[in-house]
Amino acid sequence: MRRLLFITGIFVTALVVFQYSTLPHGRTGFAFVVGGGVGSTVVAMSNANISDNSKSPDSYILHEESDEFAGSDSEEESSFQNMGVKDADKALRNSDDSFSPHKSSNLNENSISMMSVHHEKDLQSGNHDDVNIVSTVEEATNPITISRKSLPDEDADLRSISEFRTDFSNISNFGIPAKQEAKRNANKLRVVSATLGDKSTMARALKRLNVKPMLISEMVSLLRQSAGSSNSSRPRWSSVRDRELLYAKLEIQKAPITANTAGLTGYVFRNVSQFKRSYELMEKTLKVYVYREGEKPIFHQPKMRGIYSSEGWFMKLMEGNKKFVVRDPRKAHLFYLPFSSQMLRKTLDNNNSQSHRDLEGYLKNYVDLISGKYRFWNRSRGADHFLVACHDWASKITRQPLGNCIRALCNANVARGFIIGKDTTLPVTYVRSVEDPGRDIGGKPPIQRAILAFFAGSMHGYLRPILRHYWENKEADMKILGPMPRDIDGKRAYREYMKSSRYCICARGYEVHTPRIIEAIFYECIPVIISDNYVPPFLEVLNWEAFSLFVKESDVPKLRDILLSIPEEEYLRMQMGVRMVQKHFIWHKKPTKYDLFHMVLHSIWHNRIFQLKTR
């Protein structure tokens, strides 16, 4: 016992000495390893921060949840009324302090910074006039450095961008959100370096946000190349279904050219003639087999409300469809794996399985089940199988066990394993009303849209604090705000802002996707997508440049100049384009022609056809 106590004492002493020498200002703390396996995240926490939460170990699990925002955070709202911008402004002024764009998080000595602190000499000497905050993206095998730093309350410039850091003062209520840009952007190897209060240094930092992001034009070029790529899948043996798909491919390629067609506007499509022909052939030819294997709630139990509801809506409509679904798998061109990435994460999390590997292992076991029971997976190595998943983690956890499948993903990051031409983007649609998902859509005519640009939301990720730093309260026609109230009035005001703005800023959060893109389309506001390497939905057929803007993250300081440089005629054409594509992004309980269900299915059908090769 004496020997054990002696060894324990030495270990504790060494740990305290090590942390005293490594943490800023000599404050000691405890280190928790979150996750597991290679690349586990080390979170340094002070005694004060963890004392109230020692009974809740789950609060330290880093949940990589998607973007939450004021306009669409809750379940069904009880009432709807029209509200003007003046009323909206009044409601915002009378709201609680949680909305105010001038309020920063409660930063104190016990707050945890999600950034590495640069210029160690300045910090140690107590010089805080010019604080450099650095978020370093490292290799997946390296731990993440998380240090603490307090900011002077009296410095308004620092407070305006203080949300580069994450405040955990309310950790007992909300747990630790897994919003760690370093771990989730490990492959990008980028550094966000910003000297607060120094715009020239900020501008230099912004140039380093991305290492040459892929432009939308490059994505389109890659899409065209993928259709004839030698890497396209070849089944182990041919089938009648493959020949039917190849026949459809030839029919699509020789479709007669038309500028417009009934229900479709030509300029918002890359090739409206081919899309129309492809859609007709899909309705006439396509058959899908839905695997019955899999237990609820992970399989066959769609969740149809909330930020991940796209995967639930597709599952519900696909499993209940009588036109496309067949009971005999031998008649199928495509095979659907009906699981919910959201329920997979939630269910295994409740069973104390918290790592990506646990989720990957679960999916691998499912693949082993269906490949052992049926011969169809083995014939194509899964290339004629598809999944529809919206959770942030879906891209990562499906990469290995389901890598050959066609993946419809919300988190469509071309720099993180999303394969253009094989995978397709699932729109992020926040559904408030299951009975009427498309209710309250529409907006004011262009002449009545007095706001040049609008954004409101939580300071998730590295980009939004930069956006807010540059444009909050800088120009009267730029409504760049922080989080708005989450009550009914706040949400109504959020929608009214969108309906009254010419451009709606769709800035990435912790991941590249955001529901603001579809919200902007709903409210007939031109989406301004600021999310490097994000592949927009239905890139296979839609001409996104005709009804939206793509702004590089490094161009945030030029945002207003970019918007003002667009001629009025071009703006009106783009705004009309938004109205023309609106119907393609709405769920219906009873699917209609060209609606969101059919558009998702068409992208999957399209990619299978153009990836298929003969022997």
Side-chain angles (χ1 to χ4, degrees), residues 284-351:
K284 179 182 178 180
T285 307
L286 178 62
K287 299 301 176 186
V288 177
Y289 180 75
V290 180
Y291 283 107
R292 298 186 179 91
E293 287 72 19
E295 297 181 358
K296 295 180 179 181
I298 296 175
F299 291 85
H300 311 290
Q301 185 171 309
K303 184 175 181 181
M304 301 177 67
R305 179 181 285 144
I307 199 165
Y308 300 125
S309 60
S310 287
E311 65 180 22
W313 273 87
F314 184 88
M315 183 190 299
K316 177 72 173 180
L317 297 175
M318 188 78 259
E319 291 193 316
N321 191 280
K322 296 180 180 180
K323 181 179 182 64
F324 296 112
V325 174
V326 292
R327 294 185 176 183
D328 185 352
R330 293 171 297 180
K331 297 179 180 179
H333 303 91
L334 290 168
F335 299 82
Y336 175 41
L337 307 172
F339 75 92
S340 165
S341 60
Q342 179 185 8
M343 295 308 298
L344 173 63
R345 170 69 198 280
K346 183 177 181 180
T347 302
L348 294 192
D349 192 31
N350 291 338
N351 294 332

Side-chain angles (χ1 to χ4, degrees), residues 416-435:
R416 298 296 304 276
F418 184 92
I419 302 175
I420 293 177
K422 179 183 74 70
D423 299 330
T424 187
T425 304
L426 180 66
V428 186
T429 58
Y430 193 103
V431 176
R432 297 186 303 273
S433 170
V434 175
E435 294 302 317

Side-chain angles (χ1 to χ4, degrees), residues 45-161:
M45 305 181 65
S46 68
N47 295 338
N49 280 94
I50 66 172
S51 60
D52 294 334
N53 302 281
S54 58
K55 296 181 180 180
S56 179
D58 288 343
S59 64
Y60 302 114
I61 297 171
L62 299 180
H63 294 283
E64 296 192 20
E65 301 302 337
S66 188
D67 186 24
E68 294 182 0
F69 56 101
S72 304
D73 263 347
S74 74
E75 307 291 46
E76 184 89 6
E77 296 174 20
S78 59
S79 64
F80 264 83
Q81 297 178 6
N82 292 327
M83 189 175 189
V85 173
K86 292 183 179 179
D87 295 329
D89 281 324
K90 183 178 179 181
L92 299 180
R93 288 194 298 270
N94 294 333
S95 63
D96 59 72
D97 290 344
S98 65
F99 155 71
S100 175
H102 303 290
K103 296 288 184 179
S104 63
S105 55
N106 182 23
L107 303 176
N108 50 53
E109 292 295 319
N110 291 325
S111 295
I112 301 175
S113 172
M114 298 298 290
M115 309 292 174
S116 301
V117 180
H118 197 47
H119 294 325
E120 201 62 27
K121 293 182 180 180
D122 289 342
L123 296 178
Q124 293 176 0
S125 64
N127 179 17
H128 305 309
D129 294 334
D130 190 19
V131 183
N132 288 300
I133 303 291
V134 180
S135 172
T136 305
V137 180
E138 300 176 322
E139 294 288 356
T141 54
N142 294 336
I144 297 172
T145 304
I146 301 176
S147 57
R148 294 170 296 170
K149 181 71 187 75
S150 61
L151 297 179
D153 291 337
E154 66 276 8
D155 195 330
D157 287 336
L158 293 184
R159 287 200 304 274
S160 68
I161 198 168

Side-chain angles (χ1 to χ4, degrees), residues 236-381:
R236 292 183 175 179
W237 62 87
S238 184
S239 72
V240 174
R241 308 307 159 212
D242 290 342
R243 291 192 289 272
E244 290 173 348
L245 294 179
L246 291 171
Y247 169 78
K249 178 179 179 180
L250 294 174
E251 287 292 304
I252 294 168
Q253 291 174 332
K254 65 180 184 181
I257 298 176
T258 57
N260 292 289
T261 187
L264 301 173
T265 303
Y267 76 93
V268 299
F269 288 88
R270 302 205 174 277
N271 189 319
V272 69
S273 304
Q274 289 191 358
F275 169 71
K276 180 177 181 293
R277 184 61 178 142
S278 177
Y279 190 95
E280 291 171 348
L281 289 168
M282 178 188 75
E283 287 193 313
K284 179 182 178 180
T285 307
L286 178 62
K287 299 301 176 186
V288 177
Y289 180 75
V290 180
Y291 283 107
R292 298 186 179 91
E293 287 72 19
E295 297 181 358
K296 295 180 179 181
I298 296 175
F299 291 85
H300 311 290
Q301 185 171 309
K303 184 175 181 181
M304 301 177 67
R305 179 181 285 144
I307 199 165
Y308 300 125
S309 60
S310 287
E311 65 180 22
W313 273 87
F314 184 88
M315 183 190 299
K316 177 72 173 180
L317 297 175
M318 188 78 259
E319 291 193 316
N321 191 280
K322 296 180 180 180
K323 181 179 182 64
F324 296 112
V325 174
V326 292
R327 294 185 176 183
D328 185 352
R330 293 171 297 180
K331 297 179 180 179
H333 303 91
L334 290 168
F335 299 82
Y336 175 41
L337 307 172
F339 75 92
S340 165
S341 60
Q342 179 185 8
M343 295 308 298
L344 173 63
R345 170 69 198 280
K346 183 177 181 180
T347 302
L348 294 192
D349 192 31
N350 291 338
N351 294 332
N352 296 321
S353 297
Q354 296 134 9
S355 72
H356 289 97
R357 291 184 178 180
D358 292 333
L359 276 64
E360 289 178 4
Y362 187 93
L363 293 177
K364 185 180 183 303
N365 290 338
Y366 184 74
V367 170
D368 292 341
L369 171 65
I370 62 173
S371 62
K373 188 173 181 179
Y374 304 93
R375 62 188 178 92
F376 306 103
W377 176 278
N378 299 323
R379 188 187 77 87
S380 66
R381 304 177 185 88

